[in-house]
CSV table of all heavy atoms in Angstrom, one decimal:
chain,number,residue,atom,x,y,z
L,611,SER,N,15.9,-11.8,6.5
L,611,SER,CA,16.0,-11.8,7.9
L,611,SER,C,16.2,-10.3,8.3
L,611,SER,O,16.9,-9.6,7.6
L,611,SER,CB,17.2,-12.6,8.4
L,611,SER,OG,18.4,-12.3,7.8
L,612,ARG,N,15.7,-9.9,9.5
L,612,ARG,CA,15.6,-8.5,9.8
L,612,ARG,C,16.0,-8.3,11.3
L,612,ARG,O,15.8,-9.2,12.1
L,612,ARG,CB,14.2,-8.0,9.6
L,612,ARG,CG,13.8,-7.9,8.1
L,612,ARG,CD,14.2,-6.6,7.5
L,612,ARG,NE,13.9,-6.4,6.1
L,612,ARG,CZ,14.0,-5.3,5.5
L,612,ARG,NH1,14.5,-4.2,6.1
L,612,ARG,NH2,13.7,-5.3,4.2
L,613,GLY,N,16.4,-7.0,11.6
L,613,GLY,CA,16.7,-6.6,12.9
L,613,GLY,C,16.0,-5.3,13.2
L,613,GLY,O,16.2,-4.3,12.4
L,614,SER,N,15.3,-5.1,14.3
L,614,SER,CA,14.8,-3.8,14.7
L,614,SER,C,15.5,-3.4,16.0
L,614,SER,O,15.7,-4.2,16.9
L,614,SER,CB,13.3,-3.9,14.8
L,614,SER,OG,12.9,-4.9,15.7
L,615,TYR,N,15.8,-2.1,16.0
L,615,TYR,CA,16.5,-1.6,17.2
L,615,TYR,C,16.3,-0.1,17.3
L,615,TYR,O,16.0,0.6,16.3
L,615,TYR,CB,18.0,-1.9,17.1
L,615,TYR,CG,18.6,-1.5,15.7
L,615,TYR,CD1,19.2,-0.3,15.5
L,615,TYR,CD2,18.6,-2.4,14.7
L,615,TYR,CE1,19.7,0.1,14.3
L,615,TYR,CE2,19.1,-2.1,13.4
L,615,TYR,CZ,19.7,-0.9,13.3
L,615,TYR,OH,20.2,-0.5,12.0
L,616,PRO,N,16.4,0.4,18.6
L,616,PRO,CA,16.2,1.9,18.7
L,616,PRO,C,17.3,2.6,18.0
L,616,PRO,O,18.4,2.2,17.9
L,616,PRO,CB,16.3,2.1,20.3
L,616,PRO,CG,16.1,0.7,20.8
L,616,PRO,CD,16.6,-0.3,19.8
L,617,ILE,N,16.9,3.8,17.4
L,617,ILE,CA,17.9,4.5,16.6
L,617,ILE,C,19.1,5.0,17.5
L,617,ILE,O,20.2,5.1,16.9
L,617,ILE,CB,17.2,5.8,16.0
L,617,ILE,CG1,18.1,6.3,14.9
L,617,ILE,CG2,16.8,6.8,17.0
L,617,ILE,CD1,17.5,7.3,14.0
L,618,ASP,N,18.9,5.1,18.8
L,618,ASP,CA,20.1,5.6,19.6
L,618,ASP,C,21.1,4.4,19.8
L,618,ASP,O,22.1,4.6,20.4
L,618,ASP,CB,19.6,6.2,20.9
L,618,ASP,CG,18.8,5.3,21.8
L,618,ASP,OD1,18.8,4.0,21.5
L,618,ASP,OD2,18.1,5.8,22.7
L,619,PHE,N,20.8,3.2,19.3
L,619,PHE,CA,21.8,2.2,19.3
L,619,PHE,C,22.9,2.5,18.2
L,619,PHE,O,24.0,1.9,18.3
L,619,PHE,CB,21.2,0.8,18.9
L,619,PHE,CG,20.5,0.1,20.1
L,619,PHE,CD1,20.2,0.8,21.3
L,619,PHE,CD2,20.2,-1.2,20.0
L,619,PHE,CE1,19.6,0.2,22.3
L,619,PHE,CE2,19.6,-1.9,21.1
L,619,PHE,CZ,19.3,-1.2,22.2
L,620,ILE,N,22.6,3.4,17.3
L,620,ILE,CA,23.6,3.9,16.4
L,620,ILE,C,24.3,5.0,17.1
L,620,ILE,O,23.7,6.0,17.4
L,620,ILE,CB,23.0,4.3,15.0
L,620,ILE,CG1,22.3,3.1,14.4
L,620,ILE,CG2,24.1,4.9,14.1
L,620,ILE,CD1,23.1,2.0,14.0
L,621,PRO,N,25.6,4.9,17.3
L,621,PRO,CA,26.3,5.9,18.1
L,621,PRO,C,26.2,7.4,17.7
L,621,PRO,O,26.1,8.3,18.6
L,621,PRO,CB,27.8,5.5,18.0
L,621,PRO,CG,27.8,4.1,17.6
L,621,PRO,CD,26.5,3.9,16.7
L,622,ASN,N,26.1,7.6,16.4
L,622,ASN,CA,26.0,9.0,16.0
L,622,ASN,C,24.6,9.4,15.5
L,622,ASN,O,24.5,10.2,14.5
L,622,ASN,CB,27.0,9.3,14.8
L,622,ASN,CG,26.9,8.3,13.7
L,622,ASN,OD1,26.5,7.2,13.9
L,622,ASN,ND2,27.2,8.8,12.5
L,623,ALA,N,23.6,8.9,16.1
L,623,ALA,CA,22.2,9.2,15.7
L,623,ALA,C,21.8,10.6,16.2
L,623,ALA,O,22.3,11.0,17.3
L,623,ALA,CB,21.3,8.2,16.2
L,624,SER,N,20.9,11.3,15.5
L,624,SER,CA,20.4,12.6,15.9
L,624,SER,C,19.6,12.5,17.1
L,624,SER,O,18.7,11.6,17.2
L,624,SER,CB,19.6,13.2,14.7
L,624,SER,OG,18.8,14.3,15.2
L,625,LYS,N,19.8,13.3,18.1
L,625,LYS,CA,19.0,13.3,19.3
L,625,LYS,C,17.6,13.9,19.0
L,625,LYS,O,16.7,13.5,19.7
L,625,LYS,CB,19.7,14.2,20.4
L,625,LYS,CG,21.0,13.5,20.9
L,625,LYS,CD,21.7,14.4,22.0
L,625,LYS,CE,23.0,13.8,22.5
L,625,LYS,NZ,23.6,14.6,23.5
L,626,ASP,N,17.5,14.8,18.0
L,626,ASP,CA,16.2,15.4,17.7
L,626,ASP,C,15.4,14.6,16.7
L,626,ASP,O,14.3,14.9,16.4
L,626,ASP,CB,16.4,16.8,17.3
L,626,ASP,CG,17.1,17.7,18.3
L,626,ASP,OD1,16.8,17.5,19.5
L,626,ASP,OD2,18.0,18.5,17.9
L,627,ASN,N,16.1,13.6,16.1
L,627,ASN,CA,15.4,12.8,15.1
L,627,ASN,C,15.0,13.6,13.8
L,627,ASN,O,14.1,13.2,13.1
L,627,ASN,CB,14.1,12.2,15.6
L,627,ASN,CG,14.0,10.7,15.4
L,627,ASN,OD1,15.0,10.0,15.0
L,627,ASN,ND2,12.9,10.1,15.6
L,628,LEU,N,15.7,14.7,13.6
L,628,LEU,CA,15.4,15.6,12.4
L,628,LEU,C,16.7,16.4,12.1
L,628,LEU,O,17.6,16.5,12.9
L,628,LEU,CB,14.2,16.4,12.6
L,628,LEU,CG,14.1,17.3,13.9
L,628,LEU,CD1,14.9,18.6,13.8
L,628,LEU,CD2,12.6,17.7,14.1
Side-chain angles (χ1 to χ4, degrees):
S611 58
R612 291 273 179 172
S614 53
Y615 48 93
I617 193 169
D618 59 17
F619 278 16
I620 301 297
N622 55 328
S624 165
K625 293 180 180 179
D626 299 320
N627 232 13
L628 51 78

